[in-house]
Amino acid sequence: MADGAGLEGALAALPEAKRELARLMLAARQPVPAHPAPRSGAGPVPPTALQARLWRRERTHPAVATGSHALRLTGPLDPERLAEALTGVLRRHEALRTRLTVSTSGQPRLHVDEEPVLRLTRADLSGFTPQAAAERVALQSTESASTVLDLESGRTSAFRLLRLAPDEHVLILASHLAVFDGWSSGVLLTDLATGYREGPAALVPPALQFPDYADWQHRWLAGPDGSAELARRRAVFAADPPAPRAPGGFERGHVPVRLARGPVAGGLELGAAEGATPFMTLLAALAVVLARRQARTSLVIGTPAAGRFAGALEGAVGQFTTVVPIRLDLAGGPTFRELLHRTRTAVADALAHQRLPVDVLFGEGTPPPYDVLFALHNYPAVPLDLPGIEVGQLPGPPARHLELYSPDPAAALACVGLVERDGEIGGTAEYNRHAATPEDVRGLLTGIEDVLDRATAAPASPLTI
């Protein structure tokens, strides 16, 4: 058999249509491992199911898949050294050099460009008053979140470096959500710090790249193991109807949310005593709230998961996030303690199947059986360790999670994303203005508080639905 270089040369000599067919035939002959592994060759691969959806949606909704965040850098920053480190990060991660094109057969394909392209704009705000400079930083951050990035051209990231004073800068990153998830932020910051301290040559490519994962997902889903797992999971949700679409479609709204410390603390202690994590305890309480509103004894809640189920994926930049549908059973009037045990089992079972993309699980064009997504985020806190520079996170525009996590945003009611810090649990809820009001969303949180308060007071009392 020809080696990798010889095989690529032979394939390159074929017409494009035959080249693509040859790749598919060669891939079909390879066994598909249970976990992602390095792909053979450097040719184009199919996008993930989530990437394909975002690509279709951005054709009619520009900038819908742009994420942005900003960092304040205080200290003697070397801008040229920073630019070299950023270029090194782009070179290290294939996801940041990926573009999506359409083959002659009409199928989208991911191509990895050899050389990185750093899109870095600089602005000097040192001549403005502190208040005027702060206003311009906020404006730049908002503009960054509205940057029209494009998968097809490969323009999937853009940086802005704002100089406020000789020893104070702000770095703003805009990234395409099809190639960059929340976990990737920590990976990028770690790599950026290494490249700044030690030089770009210190940034060795990770063992697994995002295109390896995309190639694996496509082949695994088409193979016998993926097909069998897909059939089993579809059977689990066969009796759950699709979430209804809002008549007006989708229009994004955001509302800050917070859980009261008293009832939550007691509820989390009760959950811990039953072996439930804080996420499981809050999820169980939310299930009670939704079951009462919908007058149902079984329901499905979606939760975003990191999707990095193989350890080798943890060091790669990419969009690995998946939504895990969790089916919760409240039949028979369980106590909250009993519901916690049911929830533990349901969460463990759901996470064991997070390899299945929700877009494929429920089929294109069919809303999933949940309209509420719930997350208690635990992205690893990774400081940007630049020598002699203090780094701080700046508040940015609200996230666009519903269009990322939901195959059909018009069928989504809300995505409640919470973070636990210093004993407080709060965050931002994104909701569909055509399906809910801010009061409806806050009602979910007050409902959780009420359920936990009552459960703490009477953990052995049956729940009423």
Side-chain angles (χ1 to χ4, degrees):
M1 180 178 290
D3 60 19
L7 180 60
E8 285 300 315
L11 290 173
L14 294 173
E16 182 178 352
K18 290 186 177 181
R19 184 163 64 244
E20 181 179 352
L21 177 60
R23 290 188 190 281
L24 292 174
M25 293 176 66
L26 287 169
R29 293 171 54 188
Q30 301 295 323
V32 183
H35 295 287
R39 65 196 187 281
S40 58
V45 299
T48 64
L50 187 151
Q51 282 185 312
R53 167 163 54 85
L54 290 178
W55 169 67
R56 290 190 299 268
R57 186 162 179 79
E58 77 173 6
R59 288 185 156 190
T60 54
H61 297 75
V64 72
T66 300
S68 179
H69 63 274
L71 299 171
R72 182 180 295 275
L73 310 176
T74 305
L77 180 74
D78 183 340
E80 298 307 320
R81 191 172 164 191
L82 182 70
E84 291 176 359
L86 286 170
T87 302
V89 173
L90 298 181
R91 187 182 301 278
R92 180 174 192 256
H93 296 282
E94 290 184 352
L96 300 177
R97 293 182 280 114
T98 296
R99 53 191 170 86
L100 190 151
T101 60
V102 180
S103 68
T104 54
S105 61
Q107 298 302 313
R109 289 290 183 266
L110 298 179
H111 293 254
V112 179
D113 293 331
E114 280 293 323
E115 293 300 318
V117 177
L118 177 63
R119 299 171 180 87
L120 174 64
T121 59
R122 309 186 193 195
D124 190 345
L125 306 180
S126 60
F128 294 94
T129 65
Q131 180 177 347
E135 292 172 353
R136 280 163 174 76
V137 168
L139 178 61
Q140 290 266 4
S141 181
T142 300
E143 289 178 352
S144 175
S146 301
T147 300
V148 179
L149 300 175
D150 180 41
L151 272 175
E152 294 191 17
S153 69
R155 188 176 187 271
T156 56
S157 64
F159 301 87
R160 302 180 186 211
L161 184 61
L162 313 179
R163 182 178 184 270
L164 307 182
D167 60 349
E168 188 166 1
H169 295 77
V170 170
L171 177 65
I172 305 176
L173 161 66
S175 56
H176 199 296
L177 296 178
V179 299
F180 199 92
D181 58 15
W183 187 294
S184 295
S185 297
V187 176
L188 183 142
L189 294 181
T190 299
D191 289 351
L192 180 58
T194 299
Y196 187 88
R197 291 194 312 267
E198 304 174 27
L203 298 174
V204 180
L208 278 181
Q209 298 275 11
F210 180 76
D212 294 325
Y213 169 80
D215 176 61
W216 167 85
Q217 184 189 85
H218 178 77
R219 294 194 297 121
W220 182 76
L221 287 170
D225 293 342
S227 298
E229 184 166 334
L230 184 60
R232 289 192 296 268
R233 291 305 285 173
R234 282 177 172 168
V236 170
F237 300 102
D240 298 296
R245 292 186 176 95
F250 174 72
E251 182 185 352
R252 183 185 303 104
H254 291 92
V255 58
V257 291
R258 184 168 298 279
L259 288 169
R261 178 179 294 188
V264 170
L268 295 184
E269 287 181 12
L270 174 61
E274 301 299 322
T277 65
F279 168 75
M280 294 173 183
T281 302
L282 296 176
L283 181 69
L286 177 60
V288 176
V289 176
L290 294 175
R292 288 171 177 169
R293 291 191 175 196
Q294 300 172 12
R296 299 176 59 187
T297 56
S298 68
L299 52 87
V300 181
I301 299 174
T303 185
R308 297 173 186 250
F309 48 85
L313 297 176
E314 294 181 358
V317 165
Q319 180 49 266
F320 299 93
T321 306
T322 185
V323 173
V324 177
I326 303 174
R327 195 171 192 275
L328 297 158
D329 177 18
L330 291 85
T335 66
F336 192 72
R337 276 199 178 116
E338 292 169 340
L339 179 59
L340 284 171
H341 287 273
R342 294 184 188 183
T343 303
R344 282 178 54 194
T345 301
V347 169
D349 180 58
L351 290 176
H353 299 281
Q354 64 177 294
R355 293 180 298 181
L356 289 173
V358 70
D359 296 84
V360 176
L361 179 58
F362 299 114
E364 185 179 338
T366 302
Y370 54 82
D371 61 1
V372 172
L373 296 109
F374 176 73
L376 186 61
H377 294 296
N378 64 344
Y379 296 135
V382 181
L384 180 54
D385 184 17
L386 300 180
I389 297 173
E390 181 181 342
V391 181
Q393 186 83 31
L394 292 179
R400 296 168 172 170
H401 285 151
L402 281 178
E403 285 166 299
L404 174 64
Y405 297 148
S406 179
D408 189 346
L413 187 147
C415 176
V416 180
L418 301 177
V419 178
E420 184 176 10
R421 287 197 184 98
D422 302 324
E424 300 285 343
I425 298 180
T428 300
E430 183 180 357
Y431 67 99
N432 183 0
R433 294 180 184 273
H434 295 294
T437 66
E439 290 71 26
D440 294 329
V441 178
R442 292 191 187 98
L444 297 177
L445 278 296
T446 56
I448 290 174
E449 294 168 356
D450 180 67
V451 170
L452 293 179
D453 201 22
R454 293 174 183 271
T456 303
S461 296
L463 295 166
T464 56
I465 304 301

